[in-house]
Amino acid sequence: MPEGKRGEFGYGDVWTWTAICADTKLVPSYRVGSRDSATAHDFIHDLASRLRNRVQLTRDQYTLYTGAVGSAFEGDVDYAQLFKTYGEDPEPQRRYSPAKCLSISARRVSGDPDPEHISTSYVERQNLTMRMSMRRFTRLTNAFSKKVENLTAAVSLHFMHYNYCRPHQSLEGKTTPAMAAGLTDHVWKISEVI
C-alpha cells in the first residue's frame, strides 16, 4: 500500500458487516466499511430501521456493537452476547487451519433472550456463503477488489441475488428468503434484478 494512502478508507482492510434472520435466512442489512465504531453505529442503526417487531439479537465478542445496539434499539431488543474461546488443536496443525473452538458461553445483555436461540452460527454460515459465492472473498486470492466502489457493488448484487433469486434448501428448496419474509411472492429472475 502506498505510504500516503495508509488510513484512507478504501485502501487496505475493508470489512463487510452482515445481519441475518435465523428463521427466513433474509439478510436485512449489510454494510461495507471500516472496522470502527462509526461503521458499527451505521450498520446497527440501519438494521434497526428495517425491523418492525422486537427481535432477538446475538453478537460476538466484538465490543463496538455494545453502544451501537443500545442507541439503535433503545432497549427494545432481546440481546445476548456469545463468547467463544479458541486454542490450539491437539491434532497436528495444518497450514492455514483456524484455531479450534474450545468452549462457548452466552451472556444476556438486555431484554429476555431465549437461551436456545443465542447463536452466531447463521451469520457465520452466511459469511461462508459470501466467501464461496464471490471470488473476491476467497482466501489467499489475487481477485480482491481494487476499488471499494467495486466491492460495494459486488456485495450489493450478491445480497440482492441471495435474498430474492436463490431458493434455499433450508426453506424447502423452493422459497427465497424474501419470500419467507413476505417481501415478494415469487422467485425473482435476474432480469427483475437488472
Side-chain angles (χ1 to χ4, degrees):
M1 173 181 342
E3 192 64 39
K5 298 295 185 181
R6 290 187 189 275
E8 185 177 331
F9 179 66
Y11 293 88
D13 289 347
V14 175
W15 294 80
T16 303
W17 303 64
T18 57
I20 190 169
C21 172
D23 297 327
T24 66
K25 308 305 180 262
L26 183 80
V27 175
S29 182
Y30 64 91
R31 173 91 32 184
V32 174
S34 300
R35 194 173 191 202
D36 60 16
S37 60
T39 307
H41 177 272
D42 292 346
F43 169 64
I44 295 296
H45 278 259
D46 179 69
L47 174 63
S49 75
R50 294 170 185 269
L51 303 173
R52 272 189 290 210
N53 304 316
R54 185 182 182 102
V55 297
Q56 177 162 323
L57 183 69
T58 303
R59 74 167 175 97
D60 59 15
Q61 292 150 274
Y62 193 49
T63 59
L64 295 180
Y65 287 118
T66 304
V69 171
S71 67
F73 287 95
E74 299 175 342
D76 191 27
V77 65
D78 297 316
Y79 178 32
Q81 182 177 9
L82 198 65
F83 296 91
K84 293 184 180 181
T85 304
Y86 293 92
E88 291 297 319
D89 191 340
E91 297 288 319
Q93 188 167 352
R94 293 174 297 256
R95 191 171 181 195
Y96 307 122
S97 296
K100 184 176 181 179
C101 182
L102 302 175
S103 68
I104 299 174
S105 62
R107 158 179 96 83
R108 183 188 73 79
V109 178
S110 68
D112 188 25
D114 180 352
E116 293 293 316
H117 294 100
I118 296 173
S119 174
T120 57
S121 295
Y122 293 110
V123 77
E124 289 167 6
R125 179 61 179 92
Q126 169 52 45
N127 289 337
L128 175 61
T129 297
M130 189 170 54
R131 280 200 318 272
M132 299 301 287
S133 300
M134 288 185 282
R135 174 116 169 87
R136 65 192 69 227
F137 282 94
T138 304
R139 292 186 175 164
L140 304 172
T141 184
N142 63 356
F144 58 89
S145 296
K146 289 14 170 223
K147 294 180 180 178
V148 72
E149 295 85 2
N150 294 348
L151 174 66
T152 303
V155 170
S156 297
L157 284 171
H158 166 77
F159 283 123
M160 185 68 187
H161 180 268
Y162 174 89
N163 282 333
Y164 284 86
C165 301
R166 182 179 163 210
H168 289 254
Q169 292 303 315
S170 63
L171 300 172
E172 299 178 12
K174 298 176 186 170
T175 304
T176 67
M179 291 168 68
L183 301 175
T184 187
D185 63 356
H186 67 283
V187 176
W188 283 28
K189 296 181 175 119
I190 296 297
S191 60
E192 292 176 276
V193 172
I194 293 169

